[in-house]
Amino acid sequence: MLWYPYTQMKIMEEPIEILDAKGVWLYTKEGKLIDSISSWWSVIHGYSHPKLNEAILSQVPHFSHIMLGGLTHKPVQELSEKLASWLPGSLNHCFFSDSGSVAVEVALKMALQYYINQGNTQRTMVLALEHAYHGDTFKTMEIGDDPDYHFVLNAYGKSPHVVHIPTTIGALEQAFAKYHQKLNCMIVEPLLQGAGGMRMYDISFLERARELCDQYGVLLIFDEVATGFGRTGHRFVADVVEPDILVLGKALTGGYLGHAVTVANDRVFTAFYDDNPDHALMHGPTFMGNALACRVALASISLFEEEHTMEKIHRIEEITRLEMAGFTDPRIREIRILGGCVCIEVYDPAVLKGYAAFARERGVFSRPFLSYLYAMVPYIISEAELVQVLDTMKAWFQKD
C-alpha cells in the first residue's frame, strides 16, 4: 500500500489519478485540471516541457548517476559554475543534496561547524521565525514553528538551541541584544513564509537582519527552496539582501526531479578549506549532484533566462491584483499577493471545507490547508487560465 503525505490514511479521500500532464494541465479520467499549485510550487515551466524532456534524454545514454565521492562529472561541474556566476556576490560554493529539507540540514550544519572550525564552541543557537517551515527532517522540524506539522517534537520538549521571533524589527533587535554571543546563524524564508500560512513581510526586516548579523558575526541563511526562482517577484530575494548561505530546491530542476543545493559564500567556505581533515564538511547524500537532475536544472535555468520569466511573473502579479481588487467577504481575514503567490486567509478553517471538490468541478486542482486558500501557478500560465483559477477562488465565497 502506498503511504501518502500529510494525511490520515484511514479516512483520506481517494486521490486523483493523473494519466498525463502538459503545460499547466493535469489530465484525469474525467477531464483536465489546471494545477494551481505547481506540484508544491516546483513546476515553474509547466509539465512535459520539450526542452526539459530533451535535457534528461540527452544524459541517459551516458549515465544517470555518478557518486561524487572520489568521482566527478560535467553536468555537476557545469551546474556549479552556472550557479556561481548567476547568483549574487560571493555565493560561489555549491553543495548538492536530494531535497530541500536535507539542503537546509546541510546549511545548519555548515553554520555550526563554521564556528567550531575556528575554535568557538559557544555558538550553538539558531535564530528563526515564528510560523517558520524549513522541512520535515528532525533538525529542520526543530527550527520550524508549526505544531500542525511538527507535533512529533513535543516528545522532546522545546529546544534550548532555537529562538523564534515575529517578523518585526523590534523583536529582531531584542533577540540579537540577548543572544548574539550564542547564535551561529539566523535562518529565514525571505519575504514569504510558505507552509506557515503564506505569510508575507517587508524587505526592511531582512535588511536589518543583515546589518545585525554583520555587527555580531552571525551567519545569515536564506531558505529559498520555495521563494527562489521568482516566486516573490524577485529572481531571488538574495539579489536584494545577500545571505551567507543560500538554499535552493523545488524549482531548481523545473520540478522534474528532487534536487537541492546549499550555496555558501567565500567566507563560509574558507572556514572549511584547511589542511586539517577535521575541518572538512562530513556530509554526503548518495544522490547529490545527480547527473539527470543537473542536466535538467541547467536547462530550466536557460529557460528562465531565455523566456523572460521575470516578466511573466510580474504579469501574473499584475493580473492577480486587478482580478482580486475590491473583492471582500466577511469570512475573509486577509488577501495577500506577492509575485507568483496569492493567498486568501479565512477566519475559520471550516469555511474552506469542500473547496477542493468545488474547484475540481470548475477545472482547477487546488489544495487549501488550515485557513489558507492559495495559488502558486506555473509561470507559463495564460491570462485566461490564471483568471479561471482566480475566478474559482472568488466563486467559492459567492456561491451562497
Side-chain angles (χ1 to χ4, degrees):
M1 173 187 281
L2 176 59
W3 198 335
Y4 289 91
Y6 296 133
T7 192
Q8 171 50 260
M9 292 290 292
K10 189 172 183 179
I11 60 174
M12 69 174 282
E13 295 181 4
E14 187 71 19
I16 305 164
E17 184 178 359
I18 303 303
L19 306 178
D20 203 353
K22 190 170 182 62
V24 302
W25 295 96
L26 304 172
Y27 292 87
T28 73
K29 295 174 184 177
E30 290 75 31
K32 62 180 184 177
L33 304 169
I34 298 172
D35 183 359
S36 70
I37 58 173
S38 307
S39 271
W40 270 332
W41 328 334
S42 65
V43 184
I44 58 174
H45 303 299
Y47 293 95
S48 193
H49 195 291
K51 289 190 177 180
L52 301 186
N53 292 352
E54 176 56 31
I56 289 180
L57 292 173
S58 70
Q59 181 60 39
V60 169
H62 302 285
F63 52 85
S64 294
H65 180 63
I66 295 289
M67 66 181 279
L68 292 188
L71 303 171
T72 192
H73 54 81
K74 286 200 178 210
V76 74
Q77 292 172 341
E78 290 174 5
L79 181 56
S80 299
E81 290 166 5
K82 179 60 181 179
L83 288 170
S85 67
W86 209 47
L87 295 173
S90 69
L91 288 165
N92 295 325
H93 307 279
C94 299
F95 192 98
F96 293 98
S97 53
D98 44 12
S99 75
S101 294
V102 175
V104 174
E105 294 273 359
V106 171
L108 296 168
K109 191 172 181 177
M110 280 182 182
L112 178 61
Q113 190 176 343
Y114 170 85
Y115 293 99
I116 291 175
N117 282 0
Q118 299 174 73
N120 187 336
T121 59
Q122 304 305 308
R123 289 183 178 265
T124 58
M125 295 183 68
V126 176
L127 182 61
L129 300 182
E130 292 179 357
H131 310 292
Y133 176 87
H134 295 284
D136 294 335
T137 52
F138 263 64
K139 189 64 179 180
T140 61
M141 286 194 292
E142 184 182 63
I143 61 169
D145 183 42
D146 195 330
D148 293 293
Y149 293 102
H150 303 150
F151 66 91
V152 68
L153 291 184
N154 290 341
Y156 297 88
K158 184 174 176 59
S159 172
H161 302 296
V162 182
V163 177
H164 291 101
I165 61 169
T167 53
T168 66
I169 290 178
L172 178 68
E173 291 175 340
Q174 290 174 16
F176 270 91
K178 184 174 182 180
Y179 298 108
H180 66 268
Q181 291 181 323
K182 297 181 179 180
L183 293 175
N184 62 64
C185 71
M186 177 180 182
I187 184 167
V188 300
E189 300 158 272
L191 297 186
L192 173 64
Q193 295 181 274
M198 304 300 161
R199 298 170 186 270
M200 302 168 188
Y201 60 95
D202 192 74
I203 193 70
S204 61
F205 178 86
L206 297 176
E207 292 170 340
R208 185 61 177 137
R210 178 71 274 175
E211 292 172 352
L212 290 166
C213 284
D214 290 341
Q215 180 180 344
Y216 292 112
V218 176
L219 297 179
L220 181 60
I221 301 173
F222 278 7
D223 174 358
E224 293 218 51
V225 170
T227 64
F229 297 93
R231 189 57 70 179
T232 66
H234 301 284
R235 192 187 64 144
F236 303 99
V237 183
D239 289 332
V240 186
V241 176
E242 188 179 328
D244 299 292
I245 301 174
L246 175 65
V247 184
L248 302 175
K250 291 190 183 292
L252 175 64
T253 65
Y256 264 59
L257 290 169
H259 205 217
V261 63
T262 308
V263 188
N265 66 10
D266 292 345
R267 169 190 170 197
V268 172
F269 179 77
T270 300
F272 292 81
Y273 193 70
D274 199 291
D275 292 327
N276 185 346
D278 291 340
H279 288 181
L281 179 62
M282 298 302 290
H283 206 91
T286 300
F287 292 100
M288 68 180 295
N290 174 264
L292 298 180
C294 289
R295 277 289 173 227
V296 76
L298 282 161
S300 179
I301 291 170
S302 292
L303 281 175
F304 195 96
E305 294 178 308
E306 294 164 5
E307 298 191 351
H308 307 288
T309 300
M310 289 308 304
E311 293 178 15
K312 294 180 181 179
I313 296 165
H314 295 152
R315 181 61 177 153
I316 288 170
E317 180 173 2
E318 180 183 18
I319 293 167
T320 302
R321 291 191 181 279
L322 285 170
E323 292 295 320
M324 302 304 285
F327 177 66
T328 60
D329 185 279
R331 294 165 290 183
I332 294 175
R333 179 189 296 272
E334 186 178 35
I335 298 176
R336 297 188 286 273
I337 300 168
L338 180 67
C341 176
V342 56
C343 176
I344 299 175
E345 181 181 355
V346 298
Y347 289 100
D348 182 358
V351 168
L352 300 180
K353 187 176 181 181
Y355 177 78
F358 175 88
R360 283 198 301 272
E361 293 172 359
R362 287 153 181 78
V364 175
F365 172 68
S366 178
R367 200 170 186 272
F369 64 101
L370 302 174
S371 302
Y372 311 104
L373 171 56
Y374 77 97
M376 284 191 177
V377 296
Y379 301 149
I380 62 163
I381 197 167
S382 70
E383 181 170 348
E385 291 162 344
L386 177 57
V387 170
Q388 182 177 339
V389 171
L390 299 171
D391 280 350
T392 300
M393 296 172 79
K394 292 188 289 185
W396 176 251
F397 297 92
Q398 297 166 334
K399 67 183 183 351
D400 298 328

